[in-house]
Amino acid sequence: MSQAFRQVMRTLSYPTMIVTSAIPKGTKPLDFHGLTISSMTSLSINPKPLIQFNIKTPSGTSANIKKNKFFAIHFLEPKETNINLAKQFSRGIKDKMTRPFSSLIENKDYICYGSVSFSSRPNIQLPILKNTGK
């Protein structure tokens, strides 16, 4: 039953989202982290915007978010390439860390948003997926 449920959930491409976490500059793309989420909610706008989503721990993504303080949320349009991307980022930890960026090519599939915008954390970068949607 749980395998069948996972298969059905993996076919959803919207409102499925991918979260990627900031990583130290110089990190190899194989060590970038991200995960698929299927729900997120707004908590407040004032005094600052807050959202909520859940992450299973331990995970490389949760560790990086906690350590580096930045993450990106990618809203996926309902198309075949995004379904495959969501599957790639939803593998979870089994015996070792997953490598969701292993088949992605920098500047084609993603870009690394650099330290210019992270003045408080100049030694990090944030992978941003390209062509996923809005």
Side-chain angles (χ1 to χ4, degrees):
M1 179 70 155
S2 78
Q3 187 63 25
F5 179 74
R6 283 188 186 145
Q7 285 300 108
V8 169
M9 295 307 290
R10 286 178 178 162
T11 63
L12 296 175
S13 65
Y14 189 82
T16 303
M17 295 156 270
I18 293 175
V19 175
T20 55
S21 58
I23 35 76
K25 278 188 169 182
T27 302
K28 294 181 230 168
L30 275 180
D31 295 325
F32 290 5
H33 295 286
L35 51 82
T36 302
I37 61 172
S38 59
S39 67
M40 176 181 68
T41 189
S42 168
L43 295 177
S44 74
I45 295 177
N46 288 314
K48 62 182 178 179
L50 294 174
I51 60 169
Q52 176 183 324
F53 56 90
N54 297 314
I55 300 177
K56 183 178 180 177
T57 57
S59 75
T61 306
S62 64
N64 281 342
I65 290 172
K66 187 174 183 177
K67 179 180 178 184
N68 299 309
K69 310 296 184 209
F70 288 95
F71 60 91
I73 298 174
H74 306 83
F75 294 85
L76 304 179
E77 288 183 339
K79 56 186 182 179
E80 187 70 28
T81 55
N82 286 341
I83 291 170
N84 294 331
L85 200 57
K87 286 178 186 177
Q88 186 170 330
F89 278 81
S90 68
R91 292 192 180 119
I93 294 176
K94 302 294 181 205
D95 298 323
K96 55 187 173 194
M97 291 289 194
T98 59
R99 307 249 187 237
F101 283 83
S102 63
S103 66
L104 302 181
I105 301 167
E106 189 170 3
N107 297 320
K108 178 183 176 261
D109 300 314
Y110 69 94
I111 58 168
C112 282
Y113 196 67
S115 63
V116 171
S117 300
F118 301 123
S119 58
S120 64
R121 316 256 326 166
N123 295 318
I124 64 167
Q125 59 187 354
L126 180 61
I128 305 292
L129 299 172
K130 296 175 76 175
N131 307 314
T132 57
K134 301 173 184 173

